[in-house]
Amino acid sequence: MPAISDVLVIGAGLAGTAAAIGLADGGIGVDLIDVKPEVGAIGSGITMQGNGLRELRRLGVWDAVRAAGYPFDSLGLRAPDPAGTLLAEIPDARTGGPDLPAALGLPRPALARIMADRATAAGAKLRLGTRVSSLSQDDGGVDVVFSDGSAGRYDLVIGADGIRSATRPMIGITDQPRPTGMGIFRAFGPRPASVTRTDLYYGGPSYIAGYCPTGENSLYAYIVEDARDRSGLTPAERLAAMRSLAEAYHGPWDEIRATLSDPGTVGYTLFEELVVPAPWNRGRVVLIGDAAHACPPTLAQGGAQALEDAVVLTELLLSRDAVDDDELWSAFAARRFERARTVVEASCQLGQWQLDHQQGDVPGLIAAIAALVSQPA
Ligand SMILES: Cc1cc2nc3c(=O)[nH]c(=O)nc-3n(C[C@H](O)[C@H](O)[C@H](O)COP(=O)(O)OP(=O)(O)OC[C@H]3O[C@@H](n4cnc5c(N)ncnc54)[C@H](O)[C@@H]3O)c2cc1C
């Protein structure tokens, strides 16, 4: 008999929807809330690595994800020269196993809808435009008051509300994300035929310029620079700034740049990192995903790590008969903390070598992380 019968999941991102799917499939009553008024309204693309695809398959959404995305098995390295010369084509590790692609790009809104639809089909009750106003717990459960004035009592609350989690301070965890010193322009648009995998251009006026196909007719492209306060830019100025940086990159970038014309498709984000020390719970409230650990996207592992948290937590909750049990939370930390911390640190290291203009062992570090995440979570 599982330790819990009613759970509140705060945040319907990757971590929250994955937890909701697993728990609802296991017969647990799940309320899933998100502050946003709509699921998957807008957004760029995401690269899901094989180990993330393995968890999506376990959650029963692989067919839908495969149909919505664009798989690939290698990484291209190109020079920031007038021809965009292809320097190397490196086979990517199939970290999810030989029967899954090494990576798959897909539009974030499509992934968000697939996950939310699967969670509600499993029985989770999704309420949008809702946040938690207060949480208080005793030995038997957690009392929650919502922003619409309603209230509920749950056996467990899962804070999956992202890097700026409001749940984190509510349970007395004061750790905050830290900027790593880089910022990224991202845009989405049509896929030229020449883009069939991720290519990275190192150097030129920026640290990295790259792109990832997300479907037959779509891709996202990005340029990484020193962190700058670009918050005052209008959408048109943001587009102009990205186009200007992209002038240095050629080959497929020439075709991508030619389609970069809609200011509404360009965003700018600072890279941040966070590792909340274990344990990630305080009593019956636990953090997962970016709320607990977040990394710059240099390894494109944040989404996969969020999914792994959710799947491991679900497995433990469904197999334990007490939630107020240190053994449960020790087991969760043992399976998740070191792995997530190692991924965050490696993601930061890759950026730091560039910031320091230092030649680190990039292939060695990437191979070490691939070996780590190839192991089941
Ligand atoms: C620029 C950039 C590029 C990235 N690229 C990749 C990539 O290619 N591949 C990859 O795997 N990872 C990538 N990541 C990381 C990845 O996006 C995250 O690790 C992943 O989305 C974390 O999922 P999550 O569910 O924990 O959090 P989120 O996706 O942030 O979801 C949190 C949810 O909680 C909701 N929420 C927030 N506050 C509240 C509240 N108070 N109450 C209720 N709901 C709330 C939000 O609306 C949101 O829906 C990237 C990150 C960045 C910054």
Side-chain angles (χ1 to χ4, degrees), residues 72-301:
F72 49 94
D73 292 307
S74 64
L75 172 74
L77 295 180
R78 289 182 183 269
D81 63 19
T85 305
L86 182 64
L87 301 171
E89 187 181 345
I90 305 163
D92 254 349
R94 290 185 176 230
T95 55
D99 50 349
L100 284 168
L104 178 133
L106 78 171
R108 281 183 184 257
L111 180 57
R113 276 193 295 272
I114 289 168
M115 295 296 283
D117 287 351
R118 172 74 177 87
T120 50
K125 294 191 199 81
L126 174 62
R127 281 163 64 196
L128 296 170
T130 307
R131 65 174 76 222
V132 166
S133 301
S134 71
L135 289 173
S136 61
Q137 54 177 312
D138 53 41
D139 287 348
V142 190
D143 289 305
V144 180
V145 178
F146 296 99
S147 48
D148 61 5
S150 62
R153 182 170 171 85
Y154 300 90
D155 298 320
L156 180 78
V157 172
I158 299 176
D161 47 352
I163 191 164
R164 258 163 266 293
S165 168
T167 313
R168 204 167 52 222
M170 277 187 191
I171 56 171
I173 296 179
T174 55
D175 301 80
Q176 291 284 345
R178 181 190 72 83
T180 70
M182 289 175 154
I184 185 170
F185 282 98
R186 279 188 300 169
F188 56 96
R191 180 183 73 87
S194 54
V195 171
T196 56
R197 57 156 190 258
T198 286
D199 283 342
L200 298 176
Y201 299 59
Y202 282 98
S206 309
Y207 290 113
I208 303 171
Y211 43 75
C212 171
T214 53
E216 274 311 306
N217 303 312
S218 62
L219 60 57
Y220 72 99
Y222 44 92
I223 297 185
V224 179
E225 61 167 13
D226 280 315
R228 295 174 55 179
D229 181 4
R230 297 215 181 242
S231 57
L233 296 186
T234 64
E237 288 167 343
R238 216 163 34 227
L239 169 66
M242 184 171 181
R243 281 187 64 98
S244 159
L245 289 172
E247 291 292 339
Y249 304 104
H250 301 285
W253 255 108
D254 289 325
E255 295 174 273
I256 295 169
R257 199 172 43 253
T259 63
L260 266 184
S261 57
D262 177 355
T265 64
V266 182
Y268 188 79
T269 313
L270 296 178
F271 283 4
E272 293 178 290
E273 63 115 351
L274 169 74
V275 180
V276 172
W280 293 336
N281 75 301
R282 295 293 182 271
R284 291 170 174 264
V285 184
V286 61
L287 305 177
I288 60 170
D290 274 13
H293 51 83
C295 46
T298 45
L299 285 163
Q301 268 291 334

Side-chain angles (χ1 to χ4, degrees), residues 340-358:
R341 186 183 64 83
T342 304
V343 168
V344 173
E345 286 182 357
S347 303
C348 292
Q349 180 64 77
L350 288 173
Q352 195 60 47
W353 279 328
Q354 289 191 290
L355 286 164
D356 295 342
H357 302 286
Q358 199 184 325

Side-chain angles (χ1 to χ4, degrees), residues 4-21:
I4 49 169
S5 54
D6 291 293
V7 170
L8 171 66
V9 181
I10 307 171
L14 276 173
T17 50
I21 292 167

